[in-house]
Amino acid sequence: MMNFKNVFRWHYPFLFFVLMLVSHLASASTLLVLGDSLSAGYRMSASVAWPSLLNSHWQQQPRVVNASISGDTTAQGLARLPALLKQHQPQWVLIELGGNDGLRGFSPQSIEQDLRKIIDDVKAANARPLLMQVRLPANYGRRYTEAFSGIYPRLAQQYNIPLVPFFMEQVYLKSEWMQQDGIHPNPDAQPFIAELMAKELAPLVKHE
């Protein structure tokens, strides 16, 4: 006859492990990256993109969830945000959006309005917004590029949130890190970006 007492005793270590794992997952901090093709890994596997490399480098402490989609505008990111916040319940959200709006010549006022709504939604979900500075190529005209780039420090100051440097400003300097379109980083650039972002983000997310 089976000794159920011994069977349950054998399962104690396993049950303890399961409970610890569930507890860890429930309390794990999450950094959600809400971006466009610069973070999605344009024309490459998502596992090669810098958010995935950062997640591996940090060993998921905190966990990095890449919710970036190539081609996304601020309005599209805003539309996707509520479901992402509900699904992942992040502690921080890195907002890397606006480049596609600028490349399409959208009005700076509409871009700023969408970014404001994104920041408001992140804060309403009890998460902390981290805003990345985004810049456009100089050939889009000085007046427009200055109006566009000015959106980000203004919002960061008004909301008192971190303004994360634009990683592409350093990537642009090395032609071997750029794809043929002259806009997107290639796979060779991803480790550098991940290392740079680890340096910039670690003080914001790993010491709280």
Side-chain angles (χ1 to χ4, degrees):
M1 183 176 180
M2 181 178 294
N3 190 330
F4 287 100
K5 184 176 181 180
N6 289 335
V7 171
F8 287 131
R9 184 182 296 115
W10 182 86
H11 280 81
Y12 285 159
F14 175 75
L15 292 174
F16 177 77
F17 170 78
V18 171
L19 290 174
M20 290 296 293
L21 178 62
V22 171
S23 176
H24 171 75
L25 292 175
S27 61
S29 299
T30 298
L31 168 65
L32 179 73
V33 181
L34 182 69
D36 50 33
S37 56
L38 297 180
S39 297
Y42 182 68
R43 291 185 175 178
M44 68 186 77
S45 168
S47 62
V48 178
W50 71 263
S52 179
L53 300 183
L54 179 61
N55 194 39
S56 298
H57 176 69
W58 279 351
Q59 297 183 337
Q60 301 193 42
Q61 298 294 327
R63 182 172 63 111
V64 180
V65 174
N66 190 6
S68 305
I69 293 182
S70 295
D72 254 16
T73 61
T74 53
Q76 290 170 320
L78 174 62
R80 295 193 295 116
L81 182 58
L84 292 170
L85 292 172
K86 182 177 181 180
Q87 177 183 357
H88 300 289
Q89 299 183 10
Q91 188 169 350
W92 306 274
V93 178
L94 175 63
I95 305 163
E96 181 271 296
L97 287 170
N100 288 310
D101 303 64
L103 294 176
R104 299 174 190 179
F106 292 178
S107 73
Q109 292 79 12
S110 66
I111 299 171
E112 183 168 348
Q113 183 179 19
D114 288 338
L115 288 172
R116 284 185 182 278
K117 291 179 180 178
I118 290 174
I119 294 171
D120 288 337
D121 285 357
V122 170
K123 292 174 70 69
N126 294 319
R128 300 190 181 188
L130 312 173
L131 183 63
M132 179 175 289
Q133 172 74 63
V134 179
R135 300 187 189 277
L136 298 175
N139 60 352
Y140 274 73
R142 180 176 177 180
R143 178 178 298 180
Y144 184 77
T145 56
E146 287 184 353
F148 175 88
S149 61
I151 294 171
Y152 298 86
R154 182 166 55 251
L155 289 176
Q157 182 178 19
Q158 291 176 356
Y159 281 94
N160 192 27
I161 60 177
L163 183 64
V164 180
F166 190 36
F167 57 77
M168 287 303 298
E169 289 187 295
Q170 297 194 45
V171 176
Y172 286 139
L173 299 176
K174 292 184 176 290
S175 59
E176 64 269 27
W177 282 352
M178 296 298 297
Q179 296 189 30
Q180 292 183 349
D181 59 14
I183 297 176
H184 297 95
N186 63 27
D188 291 340
Q190 301 305 310
F192 169 81
I193 298 173
E195 183 177 349
L196 178 64
M197 295 307 296
K199 178 181 177 181
E200 296 291 344
L201 295 175
L204 304 175
V205 305
K206 293 179 76 71
H207 302 289
E208 296 188 2

